[in-house]
Amino acid sequence: MSRLVHLIADYGAGDPALAEVVGRLSLALPDAVIEITPVPPGDTLSAGFCAAQLARAGGSPWHLVAHDVGARDDAPSEPGPWPPGAGLRFCVGRSRTGTLVVGANTGWSWSFVARDLWGLCCMDVPAGGASRRHAERLPAAVAHAMAHHPHAVADVVARADVPPVPKHAIAHVDVHGTLKTTITRLPAASGTRIVVRIGDVSETAIVSDGTVAVPDGELALAPASSEWAGDDDERGASGEGRERYLELFLRGGSAAHRFAAPPTGSSISVAPAEPSEVSG
């Protein structure tokens, strides 16, 4: 059976370093099919979101998700290597669906998936310096994990050491301009008008639980199509189902464009719409 490796990486298009990493992965796992999911440079929040979604999408012992995202020097609010004082190391864990996840212990790259892992451990492969990666190290970590190398696992990582997901923030922007958020609860009844503010931009949106039609040109805040829940998910008052991460989308357009292309990590505030804003 062919192995499936989902590689989440922040290398630019045409970057030979990405070709080198893919080439080394192919040599280490000659029977593997490698799928690449690109994220913006240094965007560990987007990488973490994608890693969790791919790990939870269905797994097997033949499925692996690897993230290779460099540290950002211009984002002081982003967590560095954790736990505090630790060097940059690769970690490994297995999701409840059976998928192996491998990546460095930096930023929010593990924040979305950590709670869903049976175990999270440091590996015997260092991830390099804070700002410089080495193309051979990730493939080595992946090969050790897939082969169940006897010395691959070093220290257990406590869940409390993994930085929590930032609240009410943009986690990922997809190719359609949909803003994937870390909001886990509808802020009002379905069909209610609200005002969403991101940075300096405020826009009116409609709350939807999936049963309300959203006209073309309208912004909506609704549960994401991917069926996985947030860290603070719980059963609603009716006891039916779990809360899911919400997304902002613009029917027939790009929500990211409407909000002036906000970066991931941007804070989102939601307030009831005034009558004049609703009628306008």
Side-chain angles (χ1 to χ4, degrees):
M1 179 181 294
S2 296
R3 308 181 194 211
L4 174 61
V5 176
H6 277 110
L7 173 62
I8 302 165
D10 64 345
Y11 298 92
D15 190 332
L18 175 59
E20 185 177 355
V21 169
V22 172
R24 288 179 179 273
L25 281 171
S26 298
L27 289 173
L29 303 171
D31 61 342
V33 176
I34 302 171
E35 299 285 349
I36 301 171
T37 298
V39 297
D43 194 345
T44 63
L45 191 58
S46 183
F49 184 91
C50 293
Q53 182 166 336
L54 291 170
R56 293 168 171 172
S60 76
W62 303 99
H63 183 204
L64 182 138
V65 174
H67 47 84
D68 188 20
V69 178
R72 291 181 58 182
D73 297 326
D74 60 343
S77 63
E78 182 165 333
W82 36 260
L88 201 59
R89 301 289 299 275
F90 282 110
C91 295
V92 63
R94 189 179 293 278
S95 75
R96 296 176 188 177
T97 62
T99 297
L100 276 174
V101 184
V102 174
N105 60 334
T106 185
W108 290 290
S109 53
W110 289 90
S111 299
F112 291 92
V113 75
R115 66 187 293 274
D116 212 36
L117 299 176
W118 288 116
L120 178 58
C121 299
C122 287
M123 299 188 69
D124 63 341
V125 182
S131 60
R132 183 173 182 268
R133 290 170 292 179
H134 300 273
E136 74 275 8
R137 289 181 172 172
L138 176 67
V142 168
H144 282 200
M146 290 294 268
H148 304 289
H149 192 284
H151 303 296
V153 174
D155 303 317
V156 175
V157 178
R159 293 292 191 278
D161 289 335
V162 181
V165 173
K167 302 294 185 182
H168 286 239
I170 298 172
H172 178 67
V173 183
D174 72 12
V175 295
H176 304 291
T178 297
L179 304 177
K180 309 288 186 175
T181 82
T182 61
I183 302 172
T184 56
R185 294 171 181 259
L186 293 175
S190 187
T192 302
R193 295 279 179 176
I194 57 174
V195 175
V196 180
R197 183 177 181 85
I198 304 174
D200 295 328
V201 182
S202 294
E203 293 285 347
T204 303
I206 186 171
V207 175
S208 174
D209 61 2
T211 63
V212 174
V214 180
D216 281 350
E218 287 271 9
L219 275 167
L221 181 65
S225 55
S226 54
E227 296 185 0
W228 54 284
D231 284 344
D232 57 354
D233 67 284
E234 58 184 57
R235 293 189 177 275
S238 65
E240 296 178 0
R242 298 190 301 173
E243 301 289 345
R244 300 210 306 267
Y245 285 121
L246 307 183
E247 62 185 20
L248 268 168
F249 67 91
L250 177 65
R251 182 70 71 192
S254 167
H257 180 74
R258 179 69 66 88
F259 284 97
T264 59
S266 297
S267 180
I268 304 168
S269 64
V270 178
E274 299 294 333
S276 58
E277 293 171 310
V278 174
S279 60

